[in-house]
Amino acid sequence: MSDSSGRKPPSKPSAPFDIQDQKVRNIGVVFFGLVIPNAAGLIDNAAFTWWQLPLAYAFFVFVAFSIWQGNRALLFYIERRYNWFVYPIQKIILLLTANIVYTTGVVLGLISTWYLMIGAAINWWAIYITIAICVLCVIFITHVYETIFLIKQREADILKNEQLERARMAAQLEALKNQIDPHFMFNSLNTLTHLIEKDVTLAKVYTESLADVYRYILNSKDQKLVWLEEEVSFFDKYLSLLKIRFEESLVVDTLLDQGIDYLIPPISIFFALENVVKHNEISMEHPMRVKVLQQSESLVITNHCRPKKTVQAPSKIGLKNLNERFQLLTGRSVESHTDEVTFELTLPLLKVG
């Protein structure tokens, strides 16, 4: 969306991630509160009594806490307003400036207070050393925080992309599954109309079988994969419709191993056989023989090639949609091979266990 000038509004930076750093902060504050005053020459352990020394170190732990907590708050504030990938230079400059200015101010103020508390002259060299050490430590720790932010952002982006991809695949799959070939509906109703005029009893049987077929289609609509035995059971019902329609003109031989658990996208064999019926001439003069065989972890569907004499060339949309469904659900493609005599279609199966 653009404003009236046609410019795109700046992207809204995301809030910083919740970092569980309480334990690290506690350890770090105590560590720096004990080490830095000794490294910078701010404290002479021999000059204090046994009860004064703990109070002195408690003060420097407070200094370390103020530096860490303040710089952490500044980092989170900047993180909320500047996206690293959108404003990298501005963010680096702003972070360095904030770290240096804030840390320098805290050290100057609190260490000067320290010298006033102990009644000693201010050792500016020790203060300069302390500022340098604290600034370097703050920059290093800020870098660690930023690295954690970037890692978490990367993980969040990967998760978001995976969620978007799953949503896209689900929408694409739903669209493909909704494309039940109108050719099948047209021929089914045509056959039913013919049977009602010719044989009412057979028309009733046909209607019941047709209802079973559509019941399975509706029930499997929300399923990505079904058991092979369920698909074969549905295929038998669909085949009974074709038998009524084509009688002895259509012969289908099946050899499937249902003793092993396999998964397959629903309505797959239906589409494969419907493709045979749609594109080939089937009559008493030219009967069609189809073989549905299981070879290893695939279903192989073979039929004679006897293309219908139509003006329009086949669109192959059905096979394209079938292939897309298999790619989305199994990661494997549907393979097809044709010559002057036969057409062979291979549907991959997913073996369970």
Side-chain angles (χ1 to χ4, degrees), residues 191-210 240-241 244:
T191 303
L192 182 59
T193 302
H194 174 73
L195 289 174
I196 291 174
E197 297 175 352
K198 180 181 177 182
D199 189 334
V200 176
T201 303
L202 191 58
K204 183 179 179 182
V205 173
Y206 186 88
T207 303
E208 292 173 351
S209 297
L210 184 61
S240 67
L241 292 178
I244 294 175

Side-chain angles (χ1 to χ4, degrees), residues 258-278:
Q258 298 184 55
I260 302 178
D261 290 335
Y262 288 101
L263 293 172
I264 188 172
I267 327 175
S268 301
I269 311 178
F270 164 85
F271 276 116
L273 191 54
E274 187 66 15
N275 185 69
V276 176
V277 173
K278 180 179 180 181

Side-chain angles (χ1 to χ4, degrees), residues 188-301:
S188 296
L189 295 178
N190 241 4
T191 303
L192 182 59
T193 302
H194 174 73
L195 289 174
I196 291 174
E197 297 175 352
K198 180 181 177 182
D199 189 334
V200 176
T201 303
L202 191 58
K204 183 179 179 182
V205 173
Y206 186 88
T207 303
E208 292 173 351
S209 297
L210 184 61
D212 289 337
V213 167
Y214 271 97
R215 187 178 298 111
Y216 178 84
I217 292 174
L218 292 175
N219 290 340
S220 63
K221 186 177 180 181
D222 296 326
Q223 300 182 49
K224 295 181 178 179
L225 296 167
V226 296
W227 294 109
L228 177 59
E229 60 182 343
E230 294 179 23
E231 182 74 0
V232 172
S233 177
F234 159 72
F235 174 68
D236 290 339
K237 294 177 181 177
Y238 167 61
L239 193 56
S240 67
L241 292 178
L242 296 181
K243 285 290 187 181
I244 294 175
R245 177 182 168 191
F246 293 104
E247 298 178 341
E248 301 302 321
S249 301
L250 178 65
V251 178
V252 179
D253 300 321
T254 59
L255 182 58
L256 304 174
D257 183 6
Q258 298 184 55
I260 302 178
D261 290 335
Y262 288 101
L263 293 172
I264 188 172
I267 327 175
S268 301
I269 311 178
F270 164 85
F271 276 116
L273 191 54
E274 187 66 15
N275 185 69
V276 176
V277 173
K278 180 179 180 181
H279 296 293
N280 291 279
E281 181 182 349
I282 304 176
S283 63
M284 294 300 294
E285 293 78 14
H286 301 97
M288 173 63 66
R289 178 175 291 273
V290 182
K291 294 182 179 179
V292 183
L293 307 176
Q294 185 172 342
Q295 294 181 0
S296 185
E297 296 183 7
S298 299
L299 284 184
V300 180
I301 302 169

Side-chain angles (χ1 to χ4, degrees), residues 27-43 45 57 60-61 64 129-130 133-134 137:
I27 296 173
V29 164
V30 173
F31 174 79
F32 290 118
L34 298 177
V35 173
I36 289 180
N38 284 287
L42 294 172
I43 191 168
N45 295 317
Y57 278 112
F60 286 107
V61 168
I129 295 297
T130 304
I133 294 174
C134 289
C137 291

Side-chain angles (χ1 to χ4, degrees), residues 278 307-314:
K278 180 179 180 181
K308 290 182 178 179
K309 296 178 181 180
T310 57
V311 177
Q312 291 183 339

